[in-house]
Amino acid sequence: HRQRRTGQMTASALMKVPGIGPRTIEKLFIRFKSIQGIEDAGFEKVAAEIGMSKAKLVMDALKALPGES
């Protein structure tokens, strides 16, 4: 339950990023399964999935999240 709740909170935090909408977040979660998966994949793989500009926004947002590395 804790993992699901954390994932939902993080996904909602990504939705607050201008330029990142529900379809982009859905694409990321389908491909990488989790926030940790997105971080582990790295910029290049995320950019291949959603484009370079959106990948930069996502990666910057993940770095800014409290408790994320």
Side-chain angles (χ1 to χ4, degrees):
H1 174 71
R2 184 179 302 154
Q3 286 180 331
R4 286 181 68 193
R5 186 179 66 229
T6 302
Q8 290 168 349
M9 290 184 332
T10 306
S12 66
L14 286 178
M15 288 191 76
K16 294 178 184 175
V17 177
I20 304 300
R23 280 195 249 156
T24 301
I25 293 170
E26 183 179 2
K27 265 186 174 181
L28 291 171
F29 276 91
I30 287 172
R31 173 76 166 89
F32 301 110
K33 309 292 186 229
S34 67
I35 292 296
Q36 189 63 48
I38 295 168
E39 290 178 336
D40 291 346
F43 177 79
E44 290 80 18
K45 289 183 182 178
V46 174
E49 191 67 30
I50 62 172
M52 291 186 79
S53 60
K54 286 186 179 182
K56 180 168 176 20
L57 292 172
V58 167
M59 299 308 270
D60 289 346
L62 292 180
K63 288 178 187 175
L65 288 175
E68 299 290 332
S69 53

